[in-house]
Amino acid sequence: MGEAQREHFRAILRAWKRELMEEVDRTVHHMKDEAANFPDPNDRATQESEFSLELRTRDRERKLIKKIDEALATVESGDYGYCESCGVEIGVRRLEARPTATLCIDCKTLDEIREKQMGG
C-alpha cells in the first residue's frame, strides 16, 4: 500500500472517529438537558428506556472508536491492510467497505463459520 492510499485511509478513519466523538458529546448534552424527574412512573420508565438504549449505542460506538484507534496505529506502523491471520493483503475494496477490517475476506468467512458452529 502506497503512502497516498495510507493517507486516504488515515483520513477516513480520523473523520469516522471525529463523527463518533461528536455523537458522544451530543448524547451527554442531551441526557443532561432531558433528564427530568417525572412524577408519572410511565413517563419516567419511558425516559429510562430511551437513555438505556442510547447508552448501549454509545457503548458500541466506544468499542468502534477503540478499533479505529487500533487501525490508525497499524497505518502508522505500516501493517495496515494486511490480514492478521494469514498475512495477505486485505484488499482496497474490503477496506473501503470496512476500514477497521483486520482479516481478509477468506479468513473472516472461516471465522464466521467457526462462530456459527460454536454458537449453534
Side-chain angles (χ1 to χ4, degrees), residues 27 31 50-60:
T27 298
M31 290 180 80
E50 288 172 359
F51 282 0
S52 177
L53 180 63
E54 266 188 75
L55 290 172
R56 278 197 308 269
T57 301
R58 292 301 87 74
D59 188 52
R60 279 194 302 274

Side-chain angles (χ1 to χ4, degrees), residues 55-110:
L55 290 172
R56 278 197 308 269
T57 301
R58 292 301 87 74
D59 188 52
R60 279 194 302 274
E61 290 173 348
R62 181 185 54 79
K63 290 173 185 170
L64 181 55
I65 289 170
K66 185 175 182 261
K67 286 181 119 181
I68 291 170
D69 285 340
E70 289 167 359
L72 284 167
T74 62
V75 169
E76 298 310 319
S77 71
D79 295 328
Y80 184 75
Y82 293 95
C83 179
E84 287 181 349
S85 183
C86 70
V88 303
E89 283 190 61
I90 291 175
V92 173
R93 286 177 53 203
R94 175 156 167 69
L95 291 172
E96 286 283 347
R98 189 73 180 165
T100 56
T102 57
L103 299 173
C104 69
I105 195 67
D106 293 335
C107 289
K108 182 61 178 171
T109 302
L110 287 172

Side-chain angles (χ1 to χ4, degrees), residues 8-54:
H8 170 73
F9 285 108
R10 194 179 289 127
I12 288 172
L13 290 162
R14 286 179 179 157
W16 195 9
K17 181 179 176 179
R18 191 171 37 253
E19 285 175 31
L20 291 170
M21 296 299 286
E22 288 169 3
E23 194 60 39
V24 167
D25 288 343
R26 275 195 291 275
T27 298
V28 169
H29 293 302
H30 169 73
M31 290 180 80
K32 283 181 180 176
D33 294 343
E34 297 297 317
N37 193 2
F38 292 108
D40 181 1
N42 291 326
D43 291 340
R44 195 166 42 249
T46 299
Q47 181 185 50
E48 287 174 12
S49 177
E50 288 172 359
F51 282 0
S52 177
L53 180 63
E54 266 188 75

